[in-house]
Amino acid sequence: MAFQIECPNCGVRPAWEFHYGGATRNRPEPQAPSADWVEYIYSRSNTRGEESEWWYHRSACKLWFLAERDTSTNHVLETRRFEAQENVGG
Amino acid sequence: MPSPMWRQHELKESYDVVVIGGGVHGLATAYYLTKLGVRNIAVLEAKYLGFGGSGRNTAIVRSNYRTPEGIAFYDHSVKLYEQLAAELEFNVMFSQHGHFTLAHNERGVTGLIERANNNRMVGVNSRVIYPAEIQKLVPHLNVFGHSRFPIMAALYHPPGGIIRHDAVVWAYARGADRGGAHIHQQTEVTAIDVHQGKVTSVRTNRGTIRAGAVVNATAGYASTISKMAGVPLPIESHPLQACVTEPLKPFLDAVIVSSTLHVYVSQTDRGELVLGAEVDDHQSYSIKGSLAFLEGAATHLLELFPFLANVKVLRQWAGLCDMTPDYSPIIGEAPDVKGFLMTVGWGTYGFKAGPASGHLLAERIASGKTPKLLEPFGLERFANDCLVGEKAAASVSH
Ligand SMILES: Cc1cc2nc3c(=O)[nH]c(=O)nc-3n(C[C@H](O)[C@H](O)[C@H](O)COP(=O)(O)OP(=O)(O)OC[C@H]3O[C@@H](n4cnc5c(N)ncnc54)[C@H](O)[C@@H]3O)c2cc1C
């Protein structure tokens, strides 16, 4: 099946309408050792399987939201709005 | 009956070098190792030789990169490719009819001038040419007709061209086999054992192998293998798509690339047009093609060659690309795991590099010393802030 994503605002749309924002991850404290920053800036989990990610509805409502996606099939298990008090990293 | 190109073997309990990945990089590394007298080696391939990018690429070979480090490295590869048919006694159909990178705005022209200057400094044949000369060299290109983004200049690289990618893979496989390497298809690595900071063995669906050294040559799958050895990588896997049209009379002998239009095209010896674009926006291990890609590639191709409007697409496919932050590869030993080597981060541009990286990595493994041309490409460059920025020369023109 074609790769589709459900935008929390607009509903199910083809994937090309969206921009991939990367897997969620935690930003180090400003004073953290530089090794931690190198890791944060460059290393990627590049997961083969389920991953939680940021997506952006570039071609429509411009919402940044969260998705759980199986990266081996592009099957999207869940999408949801980001809540301001959440600490998901990015 | 013709003899097979490579033989089948039982999996031995131990090899001096285990290469993971049966693409151009794994097989070239194995071939050059046998030439250096390292013969107790295995190439492990989960599926079949050429399953990965090496059987899916669009076969562009060139060395007109941007950085002096990159240019020198890819130039070494082009020179090895020029000798490859003779060296491996196999027709790899390398046709060097020139490579044109188009610019449609002033920023683009500046980028081409920078590349031409750097290319010439390293001794690579490359220069910027302007519309009249472009039209003379590529008569069917829409240089002066109506277009949304008129062509302002091109980086002309006469030694660039296309090659028969499957032939390269098979030829290296046969060469490695003749040199004594064991090629194991349908052999998937499932775990890597590391003991006291040194790699000791590799586990597969066919059993465990003790290994003196292990080479990760799995491109789009590199992160999955590296994780097994506990080595994080600055790599994200993205699909890259391509398609071919029905065959046409030969009209295009050069490779044409436009970053502004997100498209590149060449014509094969069979007359088919091969076209592609840049990687899909999202990370993924799924290699399904999309209609969005086809629409984009077709639309953009018509800006360059409007008369192709009624040509039919025959087939379309995708492969995985292991993208690095600086669009340069990562080659060498993992700083924290002895005996765990890698030739990864080949992104959308690694086929042309198979001979150079195989040759130099084999030398690194056999001698323990890093050849000069490989020095800039170690994994430690990210922590050391010494990136080799090739995005401008590699994001659409693979
Ligand atoms: C559509 C497309 C167009 C391209 N165009 C060009 C081009 O014009 N010019 C250019 O220079 N480059 C191009 N590239 C890039 C080029 O194809 C790759 O960089 C190159 O082929 C990588 O070769 P490799 O040997 O490193 O890996 P691959 O050929 O990808 O081989 C890796 C192998 O590892 C195997 N593997 C994975 N996991 C395991 C495991 N657990 N155990 C055992 N084996 C495993 C896979 O099955 C695979 O066969 C293109 C790529 C694509 C997808």
Side-chain angles (χ1 to χ4, degrees):
Chain A
M1 209 185 63
F3 181 11
Q4 296 180 323
I5 299 172
E6 183 170 351
C7 168
N9 283 336
C10 313
V12 177
R13 297 290 184 92
W16 58 261
E17 288 192 5
F18 299 85
H19 168 65
Y20 168 71
T24 59
R25 60 220 175 90
N26 290 318
R27 182 188 287 260
E29 293 301 321
Q31 296 78 15
S34 76
D36 291 4
W37 276 100
V38 168
E39 165 91 18
Y40 174 74
I41 291 170
Y42 293 117
S43 286
R44 293 290 176 268
S45 59
N46 201 14
T47 303
R48 186 180 192 177
E50 288 178 22
E51 181 62 277
S52 65
E53 304 171 331
W54 284 105
W55 285 82
Y56 173 58
H57 201 179
R58 175 171 52 191
S59 310
C61 70
K62 312 287 181 197
L63 179 73
W64 278 99
F65 60 95
L66 294 159
E68 296 286 321
R69 179 176 64 109
D70 184 338
T71 66
S72 56
T73 58
N74 287 336
H75 178 64
V76 178
L77 302 125
E78 181 195 277
T79 55
R80 62 187 177 85
R81 260 173 229 285
F82 166 67
E83 306 294 343
Q85 68 277 13
E86 276 186 279
N87 181 14
V88 294
Chain B
M1 215 181 76
S3 60
M5 300 254 291
W6 53 85
R7 290 158 292 178
Q8 296 199 16
H9 300 275
E10 293 296 313
L11 206 59
K12 290 207 302 185
E13 274 173 21
S14 151
Y15 290 97
D16 295 339
V17 182
V18 169
V19 178
I20 310 171
V24 70
H25 285 281
L27 293 164
T29 305
Y31 167 74
Y32 290 109
L33 275 169
T34 64
K35 273 188 82 174
L36 293 170
V38 182
R39 295 174 192 283
N40 182 24
I41 59 186
V43 177
L44 310 182
E45 166 54 51
K47 310 234 170 177
Y48 55 87
L49 301 190
F51 165 80
S54 298
R56 297 167 190 270
N57 67 85
T58 47
I60 297 169
V61 175
R62 63 186 177 92
S63 59
N64 58 352
Y65 277 73
R66 179 179 159 266
T67 66
E69 298 85 350
I71 299 161
F73 175 82
Y74 291 103
D75 183 45
H76 182 52
S77 217
V78 170
K79 290 194 169 125
L80 289 171
Y81 263 136
E82 285 170 347
Q83 305 303 321
L84 204 65
E87 159 128 22
L88 297 173
E89 297 177 335
F90 204 100
N91 185 1
V92 293
M93 298 167 76
F94 188 19
S95 104
Q96 297 177 280
H97 287 287
H99 183 283
F100 295 75
T101 313
L102 307 178
H104 309 255
N105 52 48
E106 277 174 25
R107 183 65 194 90
V109 179
T110 312
L112 298 187
I113 291 172
E114 182 198 5
R115 277 169 68 188
N117 289 340
N118 288 350
N119 288 171
R120 289 217 295 268
M121 232 160 43
V122 181
V124 163
N125 186 356
S126 157
R127 64 192 166 91
V128 176
I129 60 175
Y130 294 92
E133 192 174 359
I134 300 172
Q135 189 73 90
K136 218 174 95 202
L137 292 166
V138 192
H140 297 279
L141 184 63
N142 180 26
V143 181
F144 292 108
H146 171 77
S147 79
R148 214 151 41 113
F149 302 105
I151 295 166
M152 289 173 66
L155 184 66
Y156 174 41
H157 177 48
I162 49 176
I163 200 161
R164 178 83 172 91
H165 56 315
D166 294 320
V168 172
V169 169
W170 298 329
Y172 271 127
R174 187 178 70 172
D177 174 84
R178 285 180 177 173
H182 284 189
I183 292 170
H184 297 290
Q185 300 186 94
Q186 305 285 319
T187 307
E188 181 174 359
V189 173
T190 53
I192 296 173
D193 299 312
V194 176
H195 188 64
Q196 294 179 341
K198 188 181 178 321
V199 100
T200 54
S201 53
V202 168
R203 294 191 222 174
T204 77
N205 58 333
R206 292 171 60 201
T208 300
I209 311 167
R210 272 179 287 120
V214 172
V215 179
N216 180 4
T218 54
Y221 308 88
S223 299
T224 63
I225 296 292
S226 210
K227 263 179 214 169
M228 295 177 191
V231 178
L233 291 178
I235 283 180
E236 205 169 84
S237 299
H238 286 246
L240 179 66
Q241 305 190 48
C243 65
V244 297
T245 68
E246 60 186 322
L248 304 171
K249 266 192 187 173
F251 72 92
L252 180 67
D253 60 359
V255 181
I256 309 290
V257 181
S258 167
S259 308
T260 304
L261 299 178
H262 305 279
V263 73
Y264 65 94
V265 60
S266 69
Q267 188 172 26
T268 69
D269 294 331
R270 279 194 298 238
E272 298 167 345
L273 296 177
V274 177
L275 46 150
E278 57 202 344
V279 286
D280 288 357
D281 176 71
H282 57 277
Q283 182 266 7
S284 187
Y285 287 86
S286 163
I287 46 173
K288 280 187 189 157
S290 67
L291 183 60
F293 159 77
L294 264 192
E295 283 181 319
T299 308
H300 296 136
L301 180 69
L302 293 184
E303 296 255 328
L304 299 175
F305 297 100
F307 65 91
L308 295 174
N310 290 319
V311 172
K312 292 173 183 59
V313 170
L314 281 193
R315 51 185 186 277
Q316 155 184 25
W317 67 93
L320 278 193
C321 293
D322 39 340
M323 308 305 292
T324 59
D326 56 0
Y327 284 64
S328 281
I330 305 171
I331 317 170
E333 193 173 40
D336 299 326
V337 182
K338 271 200 122 31
F340 186 63
L341 296 107
M342 65 194 87
T343 172
V344 300
W346 286 114
T348 65
Y349 42 79
F351 194 79
K352 72 180 67 59
S357 90
H359 175 232
L360 297 164
L361 184 60
E363 193 183 319
R364 163 67 184 76
I365 294 169
S367 73
K369 288 197 225 63
T370 301
K372 228 179 166 44
L373 282 174
L374 282 192
E375 278 171 10
F377 299 109
L379 180 58
E380 55 296 339
R381 76 171 180 274
F382 299 97
N384 296 343
D385 219 2
C386 291
L387 272 60
V388 186
E390 289 291 0
K391 184 169 185 182
S395 66
V396 177
S397 42
H398 318 304

